Amino acid sequence: AQSVTQPDIHITVSEGASLELRCNYSYGATPYLFWYVQSPGQGLQLLLKYFSGDTLVQGIKGFEAEFKRSQSSFNLRKPSVHWSDAAEYFCAVGADTGNQFYFGTGTSLTVIP
Amino acid sequence: NAGVTQTPKFRILKIGQSMTLQCTQDMNHNYMYWYRQDPGMGLKLIYYSVGAGITDKGEVPNGYNVSRSTTEDFPLRLELAAPSQTSVYFCASSYYYGYTFGSGTRLTVV
C-alpha cells in the first residue's frame, strides 16, 4: 500500500540554524515525490518535486531535498532558516499518471528568534 | 491569473443540511481534486476528475458527490451534513505532476 510517513510532528529551530525535515514513503512503483508548504489559513504551495535524474533537487525559497531510494526517503533541507519559514510542511508521493497523490500528516515548523 | 478559486471560505452547517463547495480553475488543467484536511491527519482525497465528464472516488468519498461538466469547474456536494464532515476542504488542479491548491473552505457542522 502507498503511504508517506513524516516522523516529526513538530520541530522548533532557531533562526539561522539549519533544517532537515524527514519523509519516508512506501510506494509500489517509481515514486514521484513532492514537498509542499502551508502557511496558516492558506492552501498548499509546491516547494519542489522529484521525478527522475539528479537525486538532489532544488526548490523555491532556498529549500532542497534528496531522494534516497535505498532508504525510501525524501528529506527536505535548508541551510539557514528564516522566521518566515514557520509553517506546516507536507511530503507527498504519487504515480506518473498524476491521478492521485498520498500526503504525509505534516510537520509543523516553529522558528524562534 | 487567479489559479484555483474556492468559495465560500467559511461555512457553518446544521446536521442534515446540504451545500455545495465551489471550485474553479482558470489554467485549463485536466486533473482536478477534492481533499479534506483534518488536524494531524494530513490530506485525504475525496474525489478526483481527469477531465470534463469523468470523475472517480478517492480515499474518503462517503457522504460526498461531485460533477465535472466543464474543464473549469469541479463542485463538491454534501447532501446530508454530519459532524464528521467538519473539516477544511481543499480543491486542487494539475497539468502534469504537482498540484495548484485553492485557499480552502473551512466547514463546521453543528
Side-chain angles (χ1 to χ4, degrees), chain A:
Chain A
Q2 298 87 345
S3 67
V4 177
T5 301
Q6 293 180 247
D8 304 305
I9 297 174
H10 186 254
I11 285 182
T12 300
V13 299
S14 298
E15 191 168 16
S18 63
L19 172 70
E20 182 169 25
L21 303 182
R22 296 182 290 165
C23 173
N24 294 98
Y25 67 89
S26 173
Y27 202 71
T30 301
Y32 291 73
L33 296 156
F34 307 83
W35 274 99
Y36 289 86
V37 61
Q38 183 182 31
S39 297
Q42 301 297 313
L44 280 71
Q45 180 185 20
L46 180 66
L47 281 176
L48 48 79
K49 56 184 182 283
Y50 171 79
F51 299 152
S52 64
D54 192 347
T55 57
L56 184 64
V57 293
Q58 303 297 321
I60 62 172
K61 304 184 180 185
F63 286 92
E64 66 178 26
E66 186 171 11
F67 171 56
K68 293 185 178 180
R69 184 184 298 274
S70 62
Q71 299 177 18
S72 298
S73 69
F74 189 57
N75 294 347
L76 181 71
R77 301 195 294 251
K78 187 170 185 177
S80 178
V81 171
H82 188 263
W83 64 266
S84 60
D85 293 325
E88 188 93 13
Y89 292 81
F90 292 92
C91 181
V93 63
D96 58 357
T97 59
N99 281 358
Q100 183 164 343
F101 294 83
Y102 297 89
F103 286 81
T105 52
T107 297
S108 177
L109 175 65
T110 297
V111 181
I112 57 177

Side-chain angles (χ1 to χ4, degrees), chain B residues 29-88:
Chain B
H29 288 171
N30 285 329
Y31 292 102
M32 295 189 74
Y33 313 81
W34 275 104
Y35 281 89
R36 59 178 288 172
Q37 183 180 30
D38 300 304
M41 299 295 291
L43 281 81
K44 301 293 184 182
L45 182 65
I46 304 171
Y47 272 94
Y48 67 97
S49 169
V50 301
I54 306 170
T55 62
D56 207 347
K57 297 178 180 178
E59 190 176 359
V60 290
N62 293 340
Y64 308 94
N65 279 299
V66 295
S67 59
R68 184 95 181 270
S69 57
T70 66
T71 299
E72 295 78 19
D73 299 310
F74 190 42
L76 178 71
R77 179 81 177 165
L78 284 70
E79 291 294 348
L80 291 170
S84 61
Q85 294 177 305
T86 294
S87 188
V88 180

